[in-house]
Amino acid sequence: MSHGKIREDKTCLNCGHVVEERFCPHCGQENVEPKQPFHYLFTHFIEDFTHYDGQFWKTIKYLLFRPGKLTKEYLAGKRQLYVAPVKLYIFISFITFFLPSLFSGSEEEMNDDSKKTHASQEIEKEKRKNRLLNLQTV
């Protein structure tokens, strides 16, 4: 079931019939706003995987601990119980590339700080050498 905002206009965008509730009685299309903000699309995408029916968690469990059983059941036609392979691939790819980008900034900052510290230590050493040389020449 979609959680989209119901349109105020009660005519079906698909067939033009009057829609009294959430779905058109003539064609079955849901009467929700066709344009959704990115936040809605993102949360809807995540919700599809983690919804209470457990498709995602069951698929991950079998994929990690019993991959043969997952493959056999999927090939036998028991597909409603599991997340579709392409959908799972896209989701895992998204997580694989998105999460590291969130945490990589802090590593770069730490590396930059250590480089600055090392550079400042080198400058201090040079200053001390110059002082000693100036003292010796005097």
Side-chain angles (χ1 to χ4, degrees):
M1 182 172 149
S2 174
H3 298 287
K5 182 180 175 187
I6 295 178
R7 293 177 54 237
E8 291 185 24
D9 182 13
K10 297 298 179 185
T11 57
C12 179
L13 291 173
N14 190 42
C15 66
H17 281 78
V18 176
V19 180
E20 296 296 326
E21 296 183 19
R22 189 171 196 90
F23 295 94
C24 175
H26 186 259
C27 68
Q29 179 165 307
E30 193 171 19
N31 190 34
V32 293
E33 293 290 336
K35 295 180 181 176
Q36 301 295 340
F38 178 75
H39 176 264
Y40 168 78
L41 297 174
F42 182 74
T43 55
H44 189 70
F45 180 73
I46 298 299
E47 185 181 297
D48 277 351
F49 281 92
T50 59
H51 199 60
Y52 67 89
D53 64 3
Q55 277 185 336
F56 175 74
W57 301 114
K58 189 173 187 178
T59 303
I60 292 296
K61 182 178 98 177
Y62 282 134
L63 188 62
L64 294 175
F65 300 111
R66 301 183 73 189
K69 180 177 180 172
L70 177 65
T71 304
K72 284 180 185 176
E73 289 204 358
Y74 191 81
L75 292 176
K78 297 180 181 179
R79 297 177 180 182
Q80 192 62 32
L81 299 172
Y82 308 104
V83 176
V86 173
K87 193 174 182 182
L88 184 64
Y89 173 75
I90 291 170
F91 178 73
I92 290 175
S93 295
F94 174 77
I95 295 299
T96 301
F97 293 109
F98 180 69
L99 286 181
S101 68
L102 289 178
F103 301 112
S104 66
S106 61
E107 271 183 35
E108 290 172 4
E109 288 172 9
M110 287 174 48
N111 288 340
D112 288 344
D113 289 343
S114 66
K115 287 177 185 175
K116 288 176 186 174
T117 304
H118 182 68
S120 63
Q121 288 173 350
E122 290 296 320
I123 291 171
E124 286 298 319
K125 285 181 186 177
E126 287 297 319
K127 285 181 181 178
R128 277 188 240 136
K129 283 181 187 177
N130 288 338
R131 283 186 207 143
L132 284 173
L133 288 172
N134 287 339
L135 286 175
Q136 290 175 353
T137 58
V138 174

